[in-house]
């Protein structure tokens, strides 16, 4: 194959992906004003429903705008040989392949961050603010950005350096070492994320004694679930939107409740949400997700190892010196149709798991408080109650509210 052919294949993949997103968004937008299903008419009153429609439309326009901006930028970068220029820039400082790669990705990340920050700023302080969701101060916004940046430099840079080092010493077989590294790192992060990373951004406090804790303990005992770690996180520092999640396993397993969730829901509704989370654990979803993502990483790294030595990847991007980082960019785009498909499968599995966790909560606790809690959470985040089924199929990690309620009432 000619390098130019590969170049145009890369461009085609980017454009097709953009068109696919656009079609799905348009389908979804067409259903914004659908009649609300009978079972969900009590989620919003007239005024709130109007507000939710307005929110959907505002977000949809905004994401149209960002998508167009991003594709114009990406394509321009390809056509002006952006990768080549950044590669030359990085090589003007050093010949060390690891340092060249770090400077290369550093420049690209920094550039893209500078260009996209105005959008995330607008999203937080104009859109979310207008609809009453935003609680973040400007200081929190910038401090988050800074901390996030340091984290990516430290973790991303560290992992990238190690992988290139493996490539230097093991050649094509680097993928096995890289896989082991990523697997150990994922396991470690899954175990200690709540202890090491979350405190950088949020305050977590053990749930106080009281009615809620007693109710939770009573439930945990009933289902034979040892739960020593129930934490409340100050989600209200950034947004009024509520959430709860499960993390870790073994001795490190913990349930984290957003303070906003505790404010919005009644005690038995919170226990129902928690029962759903326990369901994820009991049905082994946490372990399944972790291992399937590790397996998938192995597969991706293996396929990468088949391509990384071929100079056509670099030549397609008009870079004369064959290097790991340029190969990674070209491969990343070539691989994206496959990752679309694996993503689709993961979303499907995730939706099946959500039903299983809901069923677990229904069997071991009750369906009704879970239904009312889901309705309240949908209302408080101005959720779209009438998404298009194709959109749900492609992007939703959870079944729609209506589907979940139908399942719970079965
Ligand atoms: Zn769930």
């Amino acid at each position: 194959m000619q390098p130019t052919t590969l170049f145009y294949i890369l461009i085609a993949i980017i454009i097709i992906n953009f068109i696919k997103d656009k079609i799905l968004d348009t389908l979804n937008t067409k259903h914004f004003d659908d009649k609300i299903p009978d079972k969900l008419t009590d989620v919003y009153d007239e005024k709130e429903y109007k507000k939710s429609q307005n929110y959907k439309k505002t977000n949809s326009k905004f994401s149209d705008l960002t998508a167009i901006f991003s594709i114009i930028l990406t394509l321009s970068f390809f056509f002006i040989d952006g990768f080549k220029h950044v590669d030359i820039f990085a090589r003007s400082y050093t010949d060390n392949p690891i340092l060249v790669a770090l400077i290369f990705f550093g420049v690209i990340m920094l550039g893209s961050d500078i260009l996209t920050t105005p959008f995330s700023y607008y999203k937080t302080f104009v859109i979310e603010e207008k609809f009453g969701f935003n609680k973040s101060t400007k200081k929190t916004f910038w401090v988050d950005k800074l901390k996030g940046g340091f984290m990516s430099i430290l973790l991303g840079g560290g992992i990238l350096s190690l992988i290139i080092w493996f490539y230097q010493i093991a050649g094509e077989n680097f993928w096995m070492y890289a896989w082991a590294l990523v697997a150990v790192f994922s396991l470690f992060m899954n175990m200690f994320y709540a202890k090491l990373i979350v405190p950088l951004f949020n305050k977590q406090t053990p749930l106080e004694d009281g009615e809620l804790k007693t109710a939770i303990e009573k439930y945990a005992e009933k289902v034979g679930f040892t739960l020593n770690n129930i934490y409340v996180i100050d989600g209200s520092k950034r947004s009024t939107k509520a959430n709860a999640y499960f993390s870790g396993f073994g001795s490190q397993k913990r349930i984290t409740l957003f303070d906003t969730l505790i404010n919005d829901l009644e005690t038995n509704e919170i226990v129902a949400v928690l029962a759903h989370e326990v369901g994820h654990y009991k049905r082994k979803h946490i372990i399944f997700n972790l291992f399937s993502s590790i397996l998938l990483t192995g597969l991706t790294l293996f396929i990468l190892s088949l391509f990384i030595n071929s100079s056509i990847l670099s030549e397609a991007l008009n870079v004369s010196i064959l290097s790991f980082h340029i190969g990674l960019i070209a491969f990343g785009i070539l691989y994206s149709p496959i990752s679309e498909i694996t993503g689709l499968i993961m979303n499907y599995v995730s939706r099946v798991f959500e039903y299983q966790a809901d069923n677990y909560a229904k069997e071991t606790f009750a369906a009704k408080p879970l239904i009312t809690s889901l309705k309240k959470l949908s209302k408080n985040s101005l959720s779209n109650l009438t998404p298009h089924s194709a959109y749900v199929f492609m992007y939703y990690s959870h079944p729609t509210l209506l589907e979940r309620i139908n399942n719970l009432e079965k």
Side-chain angles (χ1 to χ4, degrees):
M1 200 197 317
Q2 290 293 317
T4 24
T5 314
L6 181 60
F7 176 81
Y8 283 106
I9 291 176
L10 298 178
I11 298 294
I13 291 175
I14 295 169
I15 294 176
I16 290 170
N17 197 37
F18 174 81
I19 295 173
K20 178 215 77 190
D21 285 346
K22 185 77 205 149
I23 292 174
L24 285 167
D25 281 347
T26 311
L27 281 177
N28 206 37
T29 315
K30 283 220 168 76
H31 291 267
F32 278 176
D33 296 324
D34 279 10
K35 189 178 160 296
I36 290 196
D38 288 339
K39 274 184 190 165
L40 304 181
T41 44
D42 56 345
V43 172
Y44 296 122
D45 63 25
E46 189 75 26
K47 201 175 135 225
E48 285 157 345
Y49 182 53
K50 281 266 163 333
K51 191 176 166 195
S52 87
Q53 282 174 309
N54 200 347
Y55 185 57
K56 287 188 284 198
K57 287 170 191 170
T58 308
N59 273 326
S60 151
K61 264 188 232 147
F62 180 70
S63 71
D64 267 355
L65 191 81
T66 48
I68 290 170
F69 177 77
S70 141
I71 191 160
I72 291 176
L73 207 70
T74 310
L75 292 180
S76 318
F77 198 73
F78 271 81
F79 281 102
I80 60 163
D81 289 334
F83 296 110
K84 176 177 118 181
H85 298 305
V86 180
D87 189 64
I88 291 172
F89 171 80
R91 284 179 194 286
S92 69
Y93 291 96
T94 171
D95 285 330
N96 181 306
I98 294 177
L99 291 177
V100 173
L102 289 177
I103 298 173
F104 178 85
F105 282 113
V107 169
I108 290 179
M109 300 290 210
L110 185 69
S112 106
D113 201 50
I114 290 172
L115 291 165
T116 54
T117 297
F119 289 92
S120 62
Y121 188 93
Y122 184 85
K123 167 91 182 152
T124 307
F125 294 107
V126 179
I127 300 181
E128 295 290 292
E129 184 77 41
K130 181 180 161 201
F131 289 91
F133 290 127
N134 180 43
K135 290 276 170 265
S136 192
T137 61
K138 299 201 165 135
K139 186 181 158 208
T140 307
F141 179 86
W142 293 113
V143 172
D144 279 358
K145 262 214 141 344
L146 223 59
K147 287 180 188 166
F150 273 116
M151 290 258 308
S152 1
I153 292 172
L154 214 68
L155 298 178
I159 291 176
L160 180 71
S161 306
L162 281 170
I163 292 180
I164 296 180
W165 183 58
F166 295 150
Y167 180 64
Q168 286 176 322
I169 53 176
E172 283 170 33
N173 289 331
F174 82 94
W175 73 275
M176 288 183 254
Y177 303 95
W179 188 20
L181 172 74
V182 175
V184 170
F185 181 74
S186 311
L187 281 170
F188 179 82
M189 271 308 188
N190 206 284
M191 287 283 269
F192 297 104
Y193 181 76
K195 264 194 189 148
L196 296 176
I197 309 293
V198 178
L200 296 174
F201 297 92
N202 282 91
K203 234 187 237 119
Q204 305 177 100
T205 39
L207 180 63
E208 282 170 24
D209 288 336
E211 190 203 347
L212 177 59
K213 193 170 177 188
T214 315
I216 291 175
E217 281 168 349
K218 200 175 131 205
Y219 170 78
E221 198 181 325
K222 183 184 144 196
V223 293
F225 187 76
T226 32
L227 187 57
N228 305 319
N229 302 314
I230 310 169
Y231 283 84
V232 180
I233 194 170
D234 59 343
S236 60
K237 184 177 162 189
R238 295 188 182 81
S239 168
T240 60
K241 288 177 181 170
N243 200 0
Y245 62 87
F246 200 108
S247 61
F249 45 84
S251 64
Q252 295 298 323
K253 66 179 190 285
R254 69 159 81 191
I255 285 179
T256 306
L257 304 169
F258 277 48
D259 53 356
T260 40
L261 186 91
I262 296 178
N263 282 335
D264 292 350
L265 303 181
E266 310 287 332
T267 299
N268 66 341
E269 290 171 334
I270 299 171
V271 178
V273 170
L274 195 115
H276 169 99
E277 297 302 329
V278 172
H280 278 308
Y281 189 83
K282 289 268 188 178
R283 295 280 180 258
K284 309 231 169 358
H285 299 161
I286 317 277
I287 298 287
F288 179 91
N289 287 339
L290 186 61
F291 280 94
S292 52
S293 91
I294 289 176
L295 277 179
L296 212 58
T297 310
L299 180 73
T300 312
L301 284 166
F302 171 69
I303 302 176
L304 171 66
S305 77
L306 302 177
F307 285 90
I308 197 75
N309 274 336
S310 58
S311 55
I312 188 170
L313 293 184
S314 302
E315 286 161 15
L317 297 176
N318 210 1
V319 177
S320 48
I321 307 170
L322 174 70
S323 67
F324 191 88
H325 58 272
I326 295 289
L328 205 56
I329 296 272
F331 175 79
I333 295 159
L334 275 181
Y335 190 74
S336 66
I338 301 177
S339 64
E340 284 281 325
I341 294 168
T342 53
L344 206 78
I345 298 170
M346 292 298 254
N347 272 343
Y348 178 80
V349 171
S350 167
R351 291 193 301 267
V352 171
F353 284 175
E354 289 306 318
Y355 283 129
Q356 291 181 0
D358 279 351
N359 290 341
Y360 184 88
K362 178 165 88 174
E363 285 153 23
T364 60
F365 191 65
K368 222 172 159 211
L370 188 55
I371 294 175
T372 54
S373 71
L374 290 173
K375 282 184 175 174
K376 279 190 193 172
L377 292 173
S378 291
K379 172 186 168 230
N380 292 353
S381 58
L382 297 176
S383 285
N384 181 6
L385 300 183
T386 55
H388 189 275
S389 53
Y391 194 90
V392 173
F393 182 74
M394 286 295 283
Y395 300 128
Y396 272 40
S397 62
H398 287 58
T400 64
L401 179 62
L402 181 64
E403 288 169 332
R404 290 179 77 177
I405 291 176
N406 280 339
N407 173 61
L408 283 165
E409 284 179 344
K410 236 184 357 215

